[in-house]
Amino acid sequence: MRRLSFFLADAWRIAGPFWRSEERWRARLLLGVVVLLNLSLVGMSVLLSYWNREFFNSLQAKDADAFWALLFWWRQTESGPMPGFVFVAVLYILIAVYQLYLRQALQIRWRGWMTRQVLDRWLADRAYYRIALTDPGTDNPDQRVAEDLRMFVDNTLALGLGLMRSVVSLFSFILVLWGLSGPATLFGIEIPGYMVWVALVYAVVGTVLAHWVGRALIPLNFNQQRVEADFRYALVRLRENAEGIALYGGEADERRGLVQRFQALIETGGPSWSPPSG
């Protein structure tokens, strides 16, 4: 729990300044609309679950009028008026596309603001030069400005919105499953709404297994980002020094260095690899 609180505090220390900056009102408005559309998608998913029930009931009853009504216009059901699939699908697509568009617009604004702030701090008082002299352990700060900020913004929004949508979906579909599933008897004990308990157990077991398997991927992902940046830096350095390398015939040495960096990249993510000779 303490590690989680430290993680959340560090994340907010990085993300908080943007939401208090001069961009805060536009960013908060965008976030509010994205959250509203995200919740609307959950509501559409619940509506689709009820539509599926009515649609397959019409197939089972061989009710042609109900079948065509549920496909193309609407039908009065026990749960109330049910729109046709065409209307539901079109509305769902519009909400999903607009939600993605606004979320990406927020990502661009957030990343742009953070990039400008980090660049200002990196270039101020020749920090870029002092880091190279006094802290050689800080690898590829230029690559981190380009890549780490993008990943932070994208993953923060994706995880935050995904968590919210999952929690709302959980409570929404608990009500749906409780209404659809009857009692079940297990070892002489009657369990009401058994599908709810089965779904909860399945979700908990899946979450624990995913955490147990994925925990080892965290340091691997960090190391892979580092060696990917090293490899990109070596390629950029080759292009910037192309004239000198060509004049002094340094292609063999450059190739050797590039292959070594690529070897480190491969070893981070999988089995070893041997470069072709020549």
Side-chain angles (χ1 to χ4, degrees), residues 74-88:
W74 69 279
R75 178 175 174 81
Q76 187 67 34
T77 65
E78 296 179 358
S79 305
M82 182 65 63
F85 179 76
V86 172
F87 300 105
V88 176

Side-chain angles (χ1 to χ4, degrees), residues 127-189:
Y128 62 93
Y129 183 62
R130 290 187 287 109
I131 288 175
L133 293 179
T134 62
D135 191 8
T138 303
D139 59 289
N140 303 302
D142 50 343
Q143 304 277 339
R144 293 183 179 277
V145 170
E147 188 67 13
D148 287 10
L149 291 182
R150 179 190 65 81
M151 293 182 63
F152 175 78
V153 171
D154 293 356
N155 291 338
T156 300
L157 281 177
L159 291 174
L161 293 173
L163 176 62
M164 182 200 66
R165 184 173 178 179
S166 297
V167 171
V168 175
S169 297
L170 171 65
F171 289 103
S172 300
F173 281 98
I174 279 178
L175 298 176
V176 174
L177 283 177
W178 193 272
L180 292 178
S181 61
T185 303
L186 182 64
F187 302 116
I189 302 175

Side-chain angles (χ1 to χ4, degrees), residues 83-94:
F85 179 76
V86 172
F87 300 105
V88 176
V90 169
L91 185 59
Y92 188 95
I93 292 172
L94 288 176

Side-chain angles (χ1 to χ4, degrees), residues 41-270:
L41 289 176
V42 177
M44 295 298 297
S45 298
V46 174
L47 178 61
L48 278 172
S49 68
Y50 283 109
W51 181 90
N52 275 292
R53 182 187 66 179
E54 298 297 333
F55 181 74
F56 285 103
N57 284 343
S58 69
L59 288 178
Q60 183 179 5
K62 299 180 180 179
D63 188 343
D65 293 336
F67 174 82
W68 293 113
L70 288 169
L71 275 182
F72 294 110
W73 42 96
W74 69 279
R75 178 175 174 81
Q76 187 67 34
T77 65
E78 296 179 358
S79 305
M82 182 65 63
F85 179 76
V86 172
F87 300 105
V88 176
V90 169
L91 185 59
Y92 188 95
I93 292 172
L94 288 176
I95 294 175
V97 170
Y98 201 52
Q99 186 262 359
L100 178 61
Y101 172 78
L102 292 180
R103 192 183 77 181
Q104 290 180 342
L106 179 58
Q107 289 174 351
I108 292 172
R109 288 187 173 276
W110 191 357
R111 182 186 176 189
W113 186 89
M114 290 191 68
T115 300
R116 291 190 294 272
Q117 296 297 313
V118 171
L119 287 177
D120 289 343
R121 296 177 63 181
W122 188 38
L123 297 175
D125 298 326
R126 296 183 175 87
Y128 62 93
Y129 183 62
R130 290 187 287 109
I131 288 175
L133 293 179
T134 62
D135 191 8
T138 303
D139 59 289
N140 303 302
D142 50 343
Q143 304 277 339
R144 293 183 179 277
V145 170
E147 188 67 13
D148 287 10
L149 291 182
R150 179 190 65 81
M151 293 182 63
F152 175 78
V153 171
D154 293 356
N155 291 338
T156 300
L157 281 177
L159 291 174
L161 293 173
L163 176 62
M164 182 200 66
R165 184 173 178 179
S166 297
V167 171
V168 175
S169 297
L170 171 65
F171 289 103
S172 300
F173 281 98
I174 279 178
L175 298 176
V176 174
L177 283 177
W178 193 272
L180 292 178
S181 61
T185 303
L186 182 64
F187 302 116
I189 302 175
E190 186 176 285
I191 303 175
Y194 73 96
M195 291 178 64
V196 172
W197 307 112
V198 171
L200 289 177
V201 170
Y202 175 81
V204 170
V205 171
T207 302
V208 171
L209 288 176
H211 174 72
W212 180 68
V213 173
R215 184 172 53 183
L217 298 178
I218 297 175
L220 288 177
N221 184 65
F222 177 82
N223 289 331
Q224 185 173 5
Q225 290 297 320
R226 178 177 57 81
V227 294
E228 288 272 10
D230 288 341
F231 185 60
R232 288 196 300 268
Y233 170 76
L235 293 173
V236 172
R237 177 182 169 277
L238 172 63
R239 185 178 61 185
E240 290 181 343
N241 298 278
E243 183 177 357
I245 294 171
L247 289 176
Y248 288 98
E251 291 83 359
D253 291 336
E254 292 297 325
R255 181 183 185 277
R256 190 179 306 112
L258 290 173
V259 167
Q260 288 176 354
R261 292 178 184 268
F262 188 72
Q263 175 71 23
L265 190 157
I266 295 298
E267 289 176 352
T268 301

